[in-house]
Amino acid sequence: MFRSRAKTEKAPTDQVTADLSKQPRDPQAPKGRPTPKRSEAQTQRRRANSGVPTDRKAAMKRQREARRADLARQREALASGDERYLPVRDKGPVRRFVRDFVDSRFCVAEWFLPLAVIILILSVIQVQNIQTISLLLWMGVIILIVIDSIGLSIRLKKQLRERFPDTPKRGAVAYGLMRTLQMRRLRLPKPQVKRGERP
């Protein structure tokens, strides 16, 4: 009855410390590392849920593979004319109409590169008459291309206003004029209409 208090209180504290080692850590106790910011914690959770690799090399590898797959799909779409996988600059009904409008006509500008090569060869020849002819030919080609381009742009603007009154048409005429400078066989996306076939 009159036992010493020190002995009786010692035993329960030993049991408590033994029990604490089995229990989880007290939330108020220090962790030994800084608490992450909320934005960092959310980013880590999203990565864990989305399956995105946290390893930088693996992430870069996955990005490269995705980019290669996108480029392969775009190449196929440029060859076939599939609207879903075309690059952004070629997408949409306005751009499709511009391509068909240009492809259905004969343009002087599409022969610019072959004619430029011929004129360059003629200008190298050290004969005065041939050099004069090449210069006149060069000026004639430039004038014809300018006249043809002005006529094409006027007709194209008119058609775009009639067919797409409420759709944005910014850059459509320039897109068409750039397409005329390419030879028909080398155009991408590939022509979907024949010459003379109106879109």
Side-chain angles (χ1 to χ4, degrees), residues 112-158:
F112 173 73
L113 285 176
L115 287 170
V117 171
I118 292 167
I119 292 166
L120 186 68
I121 291 167
L122 289 175
S123 65
V124 170
I125 298 169
Q126 296 295 323
V127 177
Q128 186 64 40
N129 290 341
I130 293 175
Q131 286 185 342
T132 308
I133 289 167
S134 70
L135 184 64
L136 290 171
L137 196 59
W138 184 249
M139 288 171 59
V141 167
I142 296 294
I143 290 166
L144 283 173
I145 288 171
V146 169
I147 291 167
D148 189 39
S149 299
I150 290 168
L152 181 81
S153 60
I154 290 167
R155 289 193 303 270
L156 185 55
K157 279 180 189 173
K158 184 182 173 188

